[in-house]
Amino acid sequence: MLQRIEATCAYLKSQTELRPEIAIILGTGLGGLTEEISVEKEIPYSQIPGFVQSTVAGHSGKLIFGTIAGVPVMAMQGRFHFYEGYPMKDVTYPEVVMKGMGIKYLMVSNAAGGLNPEFKAGDIMLITDHINLFPEHPLRGKNEDSIGTRFPDMNNAYNRDLISLAEKVAASNNIPYKKGVYVGTQGPTFETVAEYKYFRLIGGDTCGMSTVPEIIVAHWAGIKCFGVSIVSNALGDALNGIETNHEEVQRNTNIAKDNLKVLFREMVKAMRNL
Ligand code: HPA
């Protein structure tokens, strides 16, 4: 495992002089952030030794090294989902590579179902915590003590300083937001109505099929994490038999996308001083 990470990092370091401390996983809603990146180097996952090789047809992804407002970042365009069939260790390999590359902060976004009845499509939710319902744990097996401890505490997995920073940035840029708990589930099925109710009952505000394994491994490795859900569909509507209005969802999601771009850009600028 360590040798594999070293090989991957040695290759990446040979490809760029940039040594970012911030990694960003460009999940749903964050596509627009690429416009803000002055790209220095783009590397398709398929060219990176040791990196997860895509076995899923049509799956392409790349690692982008560049700067946002002068701050160096490493951005993943395309992430690995458990439902695609990858082993959990492969789903979360990018996070141990981040550690090897000297990354100190990880920022992610996802699309999620809204469980909280007050949430509507297009809402942005700052993730304060998660509930892990994946059937396999990414840290199962021999622990790599040089990266992190066997029994990692998860109390501050969604770093409170970064959440405070996000709230400040959102306030000064008039960006509306919610806060809440993300339930991570393997998918690929969306939830039955009974499952939605169950997720709400156990304390979830949004649910989706990513993020949780990534945050677990990054936090274990000592990387400070920040995550955001974009509510792409609201459970309340489905329960009330209301069909989602596609145009409204698109309009809401687009507003959320613009806001998310500003939120992440301004956070990155401020994180220079953290
Ligand atoms: N459930 C799970 N994952 C999702 C959903 C959902 O309702 N919406 C977007 N990703």
mmCIF file of all heavy atoms in Angstrom, residues 11-31:
data_model
loop_
_atom_site.group_PDB
_atom_site.id
_atom_site.type_symbol
_atom_site.label_atom_id
_atom_site.label_comp_id
_atom_site.label_asym_id
_atom_site.label_seq_id
_atom_site.Cartn_x
_atom_site.Cartn_y
_atom_site.Cartn_z
ATOM 1 N N TYR A 11 5.167 10.146 -9.247
ATOM 2 C CA TYR A 11 4.772 10.483 -10.616
ATOM 3 C C TYR A 11 4.117 11.868 -10.658
ATOM 4 O O TYR A 11 4.479 12.720 -11.481
ATOM 5 C CB TYR A 11 3.814 9.423 -11.170
ATOM 6 C CG TYR A 11 3.209 9.821 -12.491
ATOM 7 C CD1 TYR A 11 3.929 9.681 -13.689
ATOM 8 C CD2 TYR A 11 1.927 10.374 -12.559
ATOM 9 C CE1 TYR A 11 3.385 10.079 -14.904
ATOM 10 C CE2 TYR A 11 1.374 10.772 -13.768
ATOM 11 C CZ TYR A 11 2.098 10.621 -14.932
ATOM 12 O OH TYR A 11 1.560 11.013 -16.134
ATOM 13 N N LEU A 12 3.165 12.094 -9.753
ATOM 14 C CA LEU A 12 2.436 13.382 -9.775
ATOM 15 C C LEU A 12 3.406 14.544 -9.548
ATOM 16 O O LEU A 12 3.322 15.571 -10.211
ATOM 17 C CB LEU A 12 1.326 13.389 -8.708
ATOM 18 C CG LEU A 12 0.165 12.419 -8.959
ATOM 19 C CD1 LEU A 12 -0.817 12.448 -7.793
ATOM 20 C CD2 LEU A 12 -0.554 12.745 -10.267
ATOM 21 N N LYS A 13 4.356 14.341 -8.618
ATOM 22 C CA LYS A 13 5.301 15.421 -8.333
ATOM 23 C C LYS A 13 6.223 15.678 -9.519
ATOM 24 O O LYS A 13 6.741 16.786 -9.690
ATOM 25 C CB LYS A 13 6.117 15.091 -7.073
ATOM 26 C CG LYS A 13 5.289 15.249 -5.797
ATOM 27 C CD LYS A 13 6.068 14.840 -4.557
ATOM 28 C CE LYS A 13 5.205 15.001 -3.316
ATOM 29 N NZ LYS A 13 5.803 14.389 -2.123
ATOM 30 N N SER A 14 6.428 14.637 -10.341
ATOM 31 C CA SER A 14 7.271 14.834 -11.529
ATOM 32 C C SER A 14 6.513 15.579 -12.624
ATOM 33 O O SER A 14 7.099 16.063 -13.585
ATOM 34 C CB SER A 14 7.763 13.477 -12.065
ATOM 35 O OG SER A 14 6.706 12.834 -12.764
ATOM 36 N N GLN A 15 5.199 15.650 -12.499
ATOM 37 C CA GLN A 15 4.374 16.265 -13.545
ATOM 38 C C GLN A 15 4.097 17.742 -13.304
ATOM 39 O O GLN A 15 3.678 18.456 -14.202
ATOM 40 C CB GLN A 15 3.030 15.518 -13.658
ATOM 41 C CG GLN A 15 3.151 14.087 -14.118
ATOM 42 C CD GLN A 15 3.741 13.993 -15.517
ATOM 43 O OE1 GLN A 15 3.205 14.567 -16.458
ATOM 44 N NE2 GLN A 15 4.853 13.291 -15.629
ATOM 45 N N THR A 16 4.266 18.173 -12.088
ATOM 46 C CA THR A 16 3.961 19.573 -11.769
ATOM 47 C C THR A 16 4.815 20.039 -10.600
ATOM 48 O O THR A 16 5.193 19.251 -9.738
ATOM 49 C CB THR A 16 2.469 19.747 -11.400
ATOM 50 O OG1 THR A 16 2.257 21.087 -10.947
ATOM 51 C CG2 THR A 16 2.025 18.781 -10.324
ATOM 52 N N GLU A 17 5.116 21.336 -10.637
ATOM 53 C CA GLU A 17 5.872 21.929 -9.531
ATOM 54 C C GLU A 17 4.937 22.400 -8.414
ATOM 55 O O GLU A 17 5.407 22.716 -7.327
ATOM 56 C CB GLU A 17 6.658 23.137 -10.028
ATOM 57 C CG GLU A 17 7.432 22.879 -11.298
ATOM 58 C CD GLU A 17 8.917 23.003 -11.081
ATOM 59 O OE1 GLU A 17 9.382 24.146 -10.902
ATOM 60 O OE2 GLU A 17 9.583 21.947 -11.106
ATOM 61 N N LEU A 18 3.644 22.457 -8.727
ATOM 62 C CA LEU A 18 2.689 22.941 -7.724
ATOM 63 C C LEU A 18 2.629 21.975 -6.550
ATOM 64 O O LEU A 18 2.620 20.759 -6.738
ATOM 65 C CB LEU A 18 1.290 23.065 -8.317
ATOM 66 C CG LEU A 18 0.897 24.319 -9.090
ATOM 67 C CD1 LEU A 18 -0.601 24.328 -9.331
ATOM 68 C CD2 LEU A 18 1.320 25.589 -8.388
ATOM 69 N N ARG A 19 2.579 22.514 -5.349
ATOM 70 C CA ARG A 19 2.463 21.688 -4.143
ATOM 71 C C ARG A 19 1.273 22.193 -3.319
ATOM 72 O O ARG A 19 1.433 22.846 -2.297
ATOM 73 C CB ARG A 19 3.758 21.762 -3.318
ATOM 74 C CG ARG A 19 4.986 21.172 -4.006
ATOM 75 C CD ARG A 19 4.891 19.649 -4.161
ATOM 76 N NE ARG A 19 6.032 19.124 -4.902
ATOM 77 C CZ ARG A 19 6.041 18.850 -6.199
ATOM 78 N NH1 ARG A 19 4.952 19.062 -6.935
ATOM 79 N NH2 ARG A 19 7.111 18.364 -6.790
ATOM 80 N N PRO A 20 0.054 21.899 -3.801
ATOM 81 C CA PRO A 20 -1.137 22.445 -3.136
ATOM 82 C C PRO A 20 -1.362 21.850 -1.753
ATOM 83 O O PRO A 20 -0.957 20.718 -1.480
ATOM 84 C CB PRO A 20 -2.282 22.030 -4.060
ATOM 85 C CG PRO A 20 -1.701 21.243 -5.158
ATOM 86 C CD PRO A 20 -0.258 21.000 -4.898
ATOM 87 N N GLU A 21 -2.002 22.650 -0.895
ATOM 88 C CA GLU A 21 -2.425 22.146 0.409
ATOM 89 C C GLU A 21 -3.920 21.902 0.429
ATOM 90 O O GLU A 21 -4.460 21.385 1.403
ATOM 91 C CB GLU A 21 -2.049 23.158 1.505
ATOM 92 C CG GLU A 21 -0.548 23.312 1.674
ATOM 93 C CD GLU A 21 -0.174 24.029 2.948
ATOM 94 O OE1 GLU A 21 -1.024 24.731 3.532
ATOM 95 O OE2 GLU A 21 0.993 23.886 3.370
ATOM 96 N N ILE A 22 -4.608 22.317 -0.650
ATOM 97 C CA ILE A 22 -6.062 22.165 -0.709
ATOM 98 C C ILE A 22 -6.427 21.225 -1.852
ATOM 99 O O ILE A 22 -5.974 21.417 -2.985
ATOM 100 C CB ILE A 22 -6.751 23.526 -0.938
ATOM 101 C CG1 ILE A 22 -6.417 24.492 0.206
ATOM 102 C CG2 ILE A 22 -8.268 23.346 -1.071
ATOM 103 C CD1 ILE A 22 -6.923 25.915 -0.031
ATOM 104 N N ALA A 23 -7.223 20.199 -1.545
ATOM 105 C CA ALA A 23 -7.772 19.323 -2.585
ATOM 106 C C ALA A 23 -9.281 19.544 -2.649
ATOM 107 O O ALA A 23 -9.928 19.796 -1.641
ATOM 108 C CB ALA A 23 -7.473 17.865 -2.275
ATOM 109 N N ILE A 24 -9.797 19.471 -3.868
ATOM 110 C CA ILE A 24 -11.237 19.667 -4.070
ATOM 111 C C ILE A 24 -11.762 18.514 -4.912
ATOM 112 O O ILE A 24 -11.176 18.189 -5.951
ATOM 113 C CB ILE A 24 -11.512 21.002 -4.795
ATOM 114 C CG1 ILE A 24 -10.924 22.177 -4.016
ATOM 115 C CG2 ILE A 24 -13.018 21.198 -5.004
ATOM 116 C CD1 ILE A 24 -10.957 23.506 -4.755
ATOM 117 N N ILE A 25 -12.820 17.874 -4.449
ATOM 118 C CA ILE A 25 -13.493 16.882 -5.288
ATOM 119 C C ILE A 25 -14.690 17.581 -5.926
ATOM 120 O O ILE A 25 -15.617 18.012 -5.231
ATOM 121 C CB ILE A 25 -13.932 15.646 -4.478
ATOM 122 C CG1 ILE A 25 -12.701 14.977 -3.843
ATOM 123 C CG2 ILE A 25 -14.667 14.648 -5.384
ATOM 124 C CD1 ILE A 25 -13.026 13.777 -2.952
ATOM 125 N N LEU A 26 -14.613 17.727 -7.249
ATOM 126 C CA LEU A 26 -15.627 18.496 -7.970
ATOM 127 C C LEU A 26 -16.857 17.633 -8.210
ATOM 128 O O LEU A 26 -17.073 17.118 -9.295
ATOM 129 C CB LEU A 26 -15.055 18.992 -9.306
ATOM 130 C CG LEU A 26 -13.810 19.887 -9.198
ATOM 131 C CD1 LEU A 26 -13.116 20.008 -10.544
ATOM 132 C CD2 LEU A 26 -14.178 21.264 -8.679
ATOM 133 N N GLY A 27 -17.656 17.468 -7.175
ATOM 134 C CA GLY A 27 -18.884 16.687 -7.299
ATOM 135 C C GLY A 27 -19.966 17.520 -7.960
ATOM 136 O O GLY A 27 -19.708 18.611 -8.472
ATOM 137 N N THR A 28 -21.164 16.975 -7.928
ATOM 138 C CA THR A 28 -22.285 17.680 -8.552
ATOM 139 C C THR A 28 -22.398 19.097 -8.014
ATOM 140 O O THR A 28 -22.265 19.324 -6.814
ATOM 141 C CB THR A 28 -23.592 16.923 -8.259
ATOM 142 O OG1 THR A 28 -23.456 15.619 -8.764
ATOM 143 C CG2 THR A 28 -24.782 17.610 -8.908
ATOM 144 N N GLY A 29 -22.618 20.032 -8.944
ATOM 145 C CA GLY A 29 -22.796 21.420 -8.537
ATOM 146 C C GLY A 29 -21.519 22.218 -8.558
ATOM 147 O O GLY A 29 -21.536 23.438 -8.551
ATOM 148 N N LEU A 30 -20.388 21.520 -8.608
ATOM 149 C CA LEU A 30 -19.115 22.240 -8.558
ATOM 150 C C LEU A 30 -18.418 22.317 -9.912
ATOM 151 O O LEU A 30 -17.296 22.806 -9.998
ATOM 152 C CB LEU A 30 -18.168 21.596 -7.542
ATOM 153 C CG LEU A 30 -18.145 22.215 -6.145
ATOM 154 C CD1 LEU A 30 -16.989 21.629 -5.345
ATOM 155 C CD2 LEU A 30 -18.011 23.734 -6.190
ATOM 156 N N GLY A 31 -19.087 21.835 -10.961
ATOM 157 C CA GLY A 31 -18.481 21.875 -12.294
ATOM 158 C C GLY A 31 -18.017 23.272 -12.662
ATOM 159 O O GLY A 31 -16.968 23.457 -13.253
#
